Amino acid sequence: MKDYYKILGVERGASADEIKKAFRKLAHQHHPDKNGGDSQKFKEINEAHQVLSDAAKRAQYDRFSAGGGSAFGGGTAGNPFGGFSAGSGPVSGWDFSGFANGDFGDLSDIFEGIFSGGRPRRPTYERGADLETAQEIALDEAFRGVTKELHIETLIACAACKGKGGETAAGMKSCETCNGRGEVRVEKKAFFGGFSQVRVCAACSGTGQVPVKACGSCKGNGRKRGERTIRIEILPGIQDGQIIRVSAAGEAGERGQQVGDLYVRIRIKPHAVFERHGDDIIVRKSLKISDLLLGRKLEVPTIDGKARTFEIPAGFDLKQNLRIPGEGMPHFGAFGRGDLLVDFIIKAPKKSSGRIAKAIEELGLDE
């Protein structure tokens, strides 16, 4: 069974405020809409918060997860099954070998039933799943912004029945599997006794009704495998790894229910000339000693396809990058641009003649 306290990073005796603060911090950190977010971790954090933030659910959870040491055969806090080992064999008609190996089977389903207070749940058909894909773009496209067309293979609404799962004119009828109740009762055996569980009817997904005449194309599900074409607008200045959320562009829901979302992770290909550091761009420039001594103007390319002429200031440390303001990447979602940083590569001159060496000495350039 999951350790909800460990998931939220709080002590078992944490107050309601401490649990709320921990949840908000972790939810903000792992939210799928954020760059680097983790949808699976976010769901786990939300599940832990739903249990621990409810006094009744938390009491039930504490009773079975930590308070059952003596009742469950010498278990310890956080492991009520510690009193049994794989080699002890069945005890009172129950086989605990699976529990000793950490395999708790359907215990999560049992606790779910406890936390719901034993009340039958009547969910509607399932919402479509969220999807994630990657889109690669060039640095130039990230600079200017670009529109991309994506082709996503997923479950889409059945065209034959328009996602309803059956012929609308024929109507609906009571589900024969659950007799219109939307749930079925399942008897289960656990190490601390028998349980009568109520589960969602798989035949009607908990609605209690099925189409009188199921669609022959989608077999009554309301969706089929297909391709969804999506156009996304990528704004100037987008960062590598940034995620764009496209609402209702994911998997179709069952029988006309809500469509999931699509998350597009942007990947920016390396550039042959420029290297990106945040919103700044680095360009390398070969520098001759003669250019430096004669104070010649130099030219470097810019990300917008133009060129920029500049001079090296007197006394400038060539080990540093020369900064040209406003010639970098646009600030994403804001005004202004980063800078262009010129990284100098100094080329050693050919061996100088005696006359050049004498002139350098006379000018004092060797000091």
Side-chain angles (χ1 to χ4, degrees):
M1 188 168 60
K2 295 180 182 178
D3 188 339
Y4 290 145
Y5 291 101
K6 186 176 181 180
I7 290 172
L8 293 182
V10 298
E11 298 294 331
R12 190 165 284 270
S15 66
D17 285 340
E18 289 173 331
I19 290 173
K20 182 186 294 184
K21 289 179 181 178
F23 166 72
R24 287 180 176 175
K25 179 180 178 181
L26 292 172
H28 178 75
Q29 179 182 348
H30 298 285
H31 197 282
D33 287 354
K34 290 181 63 65
N35 188 12
D38 187 330
S39 59
Q40 187 60 39
K41 185 69 176 177
F42 181 77
K43 290 177 182 177
E44 193 176 53
I45 292 166
N46 189 51
E47 177 185 332
H49 177 254
Q50 286 182 353
V51 173
L52 298 185
S53 62
D54 185 289
K57 291 181 181 180
R58 182 177 179 181
Q60 292 278 11
Y61 173 77
D62 288 343
R63 182 182 307 168
F64 289 105
S65 68
S70 59
F72 300 146
T76 58
N79 180 18
F81 317 110
F84 305 104
S85 65
S88 60
V91 179
S92 301
W94 300 96
D95 183 2
F96 294 93
S97 58
F99 298 127
N101 295 322
D103 180 10
F104 303 123
D106 292 327
L107 280 178
S108 59
D109 293 336
I110 294 172
F111 281 104
E112 187 178 347
I114 293 172
F115 293 149
S116 66
R119 295 184 300 274
R121 296 179 301 168
R122 296 291 297 273
T124 58
Y125 294 112
E126 291 185 1
R127 169 189 183 273
D130 294 337
L131 302 177
E132 181 175 345
T133 189
Q135 175 63 48
E136 193 175 55
I137 63 173
L139 183 62
D140 310 75
E141 292 176 320
F143 170 75
R144 297 185 176 86
V146 66
T147 299
K148 290 288 185 179
E149 187 172 272
L150 283 65
H151 302 280
I152 308 297
E153 289 191 4
T154 184
L155 289 172
I156 60 175
C158 174
C161 64
K162 298 181 179 179
K164 299 301 181 183
E167 295 184 5
T168 305
M172 306 290 285
K173 66 178 181 179
S174 179
C175 176
E176 296 178 358
T177 303
C178 63
N179 293 323
R181 292 193 299 271
E183 67 265 342
V184 292
R185 187 174 297 276
V186 180
E187 298 295 331
K188 283 187 170 289
K189 296 179 71 177
F191 62 93
F192 46 76
F195 278 86
S196 180
Q197 247 188 312
V198 175
R199 285 192 170 183
V200 176
C201 175
C204 65
S205 296
T207 63
Q209 291 186 319
V210 294
V212 172
K213 188 174 183 179
C215 174
S217 181
C218 64
K219 310 303 181 185
N221 186 265
R223 54 187 184 175
K224 296 179 63 178
R225 297 299 301 183
E227 183 178 87
R228 191 187 299 280
T229 301
I230 305 295
R231 290 175 63 87
I232 60 169
E233 182 181 359
I234 302 174
L235 298 179
I238 194 164
Q239 297 280 349
D240 181 66
Q242 194 166 337
I243 294 177
I244 299 174
R245 175 175 172 266
V246 186
S247 298
E251 185 180 270
E254 289 184 320
R255 297 187 187 174
Q257 291 303 302
Q258 184 180 355
V259 180
D261 298 331
L262 175 66
Y263 293 87
V264 183
R265 188 180 296 273
I266 301 300
R267 296 297 185 193
I268 301 177
K269 294 182 288 188
H271 197 278
V273 177
F274 303 107
E275 180 180 326
R276 183 177 184 177
H277 280 219
D279 286 342
D280 293 334
I281 291 179
I282 296 178
V283 62
R284 288 172 175 80
K285 175 67 178 178
S286 295
L287 180 65
K288 298 178 182 178
I289 296 296
S290 57
D291 293 335
L292 187 62
L293 295 177
L294 297 174
R296 291 172 177 162
K297 290 185 176 182
L298 304 174
E299 186 177 273
V300 290
T302 57
I303 187 65
D304 57 6
K306 301 177 182 177
R308 178 69 183 265
T309 302
F310 66 96
E311 294 180 356
I312 299 177
F316 181 77
D317 185 357
L318 295 175
K319 294 180 182 179
Q320 304 295 322
N321 292 332
L322 180 67
R323 186 177 292 272
I324 302 178
E327 293 290 352
M329 295 292 290
H331 299 311
F332 184 76
F335 294 105
R337 290 171 58 181
D339 300 333
L340 179 64
L341 308 179
V342 183
D343 182 20
F344 292 108
I345 303 173
I346 302 176
K347 289 188 175 181
K350 297 179 181 179
K351 189 175 181 180
S352 60
S353 65
R355 188 175 61 179
I356 294 176
K358 185 176 181 180
I360 292 175
E361 290 178 358
E362 289 177 353
L363 293 172
L365 297 177
D366 60 338
E367 297 179 355

